[in-house]
Amino acid sequence: MKPPPFEYHAPRSLGEALDALAGAGEHGKVLAGGQSLIPLLNMRLAAPAHLVDINRLPELAFVDVAPEGVRVGALARHAQVERHEPVAAAQPLLRRALRLVAHPVIRNRGTVVGSLAHADPAAELPAVLALLGGSVRLARSGAVRDVPADDFFTGPLESAIDPGELAVSAFFPAPPPRSGTAFREIARRHGDYALAGIAALVVLDDDLRITSATVACVSLGPVPLLVDVSEAVGHRPSASADWASAARAVRERVDPEADIHATAAYRRHLAGVLTEQALRDAAREAADA
Ligand SMILES: Cc1cc2nc3c(=O)[nH]c(=O)nc-3n(C[C@H](O)[C@H](O)[C@H](O)COP(=O)(O)OP(=O)(O)OC[C@H]3O[C@@H](n4cnc5c(N)ncnc54)[C@H](O)[C@@H]3O)c2cc1C
């Protein structure tokens, strides 16, 4: 099928892009890598009257690494961030998660910020942003605001981006000292969307006891649910941590749906298994940090 008709805008500056989005209001859509939007248009599941293509704005293709974390511009492709060595050193979870996103050809076009804006609960990057307590910077003509991950994902394929706004960048904070992260997921084939996935963050104290353990869930509810399992795990060295209790806590909190790929019960089961695996991985990394 072909997409429904739309007016195509190809702005040459951020100002022009924001003006085009302001003019289009609720009838406008941003086109970034097109890896999610173009299929939606072709299947006529989306029918915006105006398409604002940001691919001629190279000033948005930046990746900035600082001690506080990594800021990724709206036109930074998955592959660019995945292969960026300073990013991998500053925030290793990003590369781990990006390697699980689709296939290399899709990662060559798809953007990190586009993936967040798309807000698919089956996608890896929203869970990473939620776990790390990151944020998305939104701009409209004359105003900029930073929206924390907690407030950004409002439902399946729904975010806090208002009509007329452009997500200009996303910020992924650096890991706290003595911490480790991990990402585990199960997909039917490598590159497919995950049936379920878990991103984990474990922080230790100077005696290598666990001070906090948190997971963010993929494909296990309408948004990337964050579950603090610190109490379940216990303030203990990781060798004696109660990972099974953490897995139970996550199984009880998730709200998975059934589809043609998996039943809700199977997804809930995976949530527990993956939680235990991801927490153990993250704790190992924290102990070596
Ligand atoms: C076969 C296939 C498999 C895939 N598998 C996975 C997977 O396993 N995991 C995964 O996470 N993703 C997967 N994807 C999706 C891929 O990661 C996309 O790149 C990503 O979802 C969207 O990024 P994009 O730049 O292509 O956005 P686009 O497709 O251009 O846009 C997606 C949506 O976000 C909005 N948007 C984009 N950028 C902005 C912005 N800067 N400001 C405001 N709104 C914006 C658009 O208007 C649109 O509504 C897959 C895609 C395909 C085709």
Side-chain angles (χ1 to χ4, degrees):
M1 265 164 74
K2 295 250 185 321
F6 52 80
E7 193 174 325
Y8 176 73
H9 302 258
R12 298 279 174 172
S13 69
L14 181 57
E16 275 182 35
L18 296 182
D19 286 348
L21 283 170
E26 63 186 24
H27 304 294
K29 274 252 170 234
V30 174
L31 175 66
Q35 298 304 298
S36 297
L37 183 55
I38 297 294
L40 287 176
L41 292 175
N42 287 346
M43 288 185 278
R44 301 204 167 202
L45 294 171
H50 297 267
L51 212 56
V52 180
D53 182 348
I54 59 169
N55 283 276
R56 287 170 192 80
L57 305 179
E59 71 262 40
L60 294 181
F62 66 88
V63 177
D64 285 343
V65 180
E68 307 77 49
V70 175
R71 184 169 289 281
V72 176
L75 213 52
R77 314 284 173 183
H78 294 316
Q80 178 187 349
V81 181
E82 177 192 346
R83 293 182 196 141
H84 200 289
E85 291 304 330
V87 167
Q91 184 41 271
L93 187 60
L94 266 172
R95 176 178 281 179
R96 282 180 195 138
L98 280 163
R99 284 185 171 159
L100 298 169
V101 172
H103 307 281
V105 279
I106 291 161
R107 300 205 291 272
N108 285 340
R109 287 298 298 173
T111 62
V112 166
V113 172
S115 189
L116 299 172
H118 192 51
D120 189 334
E124 287 80 3
L125 294 173
V128 170
L129 194 82
L131 182 76
L132 300 175
S135 58
V136 180
R137 181 162 294 170
L138 304 178
R140 62 165 62 249
S141 293
V144 175
R145 63 184 179 122
D146 284 323
V147 181
D150 273 0
D151 301 328
F152 185 75
F153 303 106
T154 53
L157 306 185
E158 284 177 15
S159 76
I161 303 175
D162 283 336
E165 279 186 317
L166 176 70
V168 285
S169 66
F171 181 66
F172 298 87
R178 279 213 190 286
S179 69
T181 55
F183 207 113
R184 289 275 189 150
E185 70 174 38
I186 299 275
R188 291 176 76 91
R189 293 169 306 188
H190 179 72
D192 279 5
Y193 279 103
L195 296 180
I198 295 286
L201 171 66
V202 171
V203 186
L204 306 180
D205 63 16
D206 289 343
D207 300 324
L208 300 185
R209 289 169 183 272
I210 295 167
T211 56
S212 84
T214 320
V215 301
C217 305
V218 175
S219 273
L220 291 165
V223 292
L225 175 73
L226 205 56
V227 188
D228 183 344
V229 290
S230 312
E231 226 173 90
V233 164
H235 181 57
R236 308 179 199 159
S238 46
S240 57
D242 193 349
W243 305 120
S245 161
R248 222 166 19 251
V250 172
R251 271 202 310 271
E252 281 164 13
R253 280 289 305 282
V254 294
D255 183 20
E257 283 197 354
D259 58 20
I260 54 165
H261 304 295
T263 62
Y266 181 53
R267 284 201 161 94
R268 193 182 295 282
H269 166 73
L270 290 180
V273 174
L274 295 169
T275 292
E276 203 166 330
Q277 291 175 348
L279 286 171
R280 283 181 191 275
D281 290 349
R284 241 189 321 271
E285 185 178 81
D288 292 342

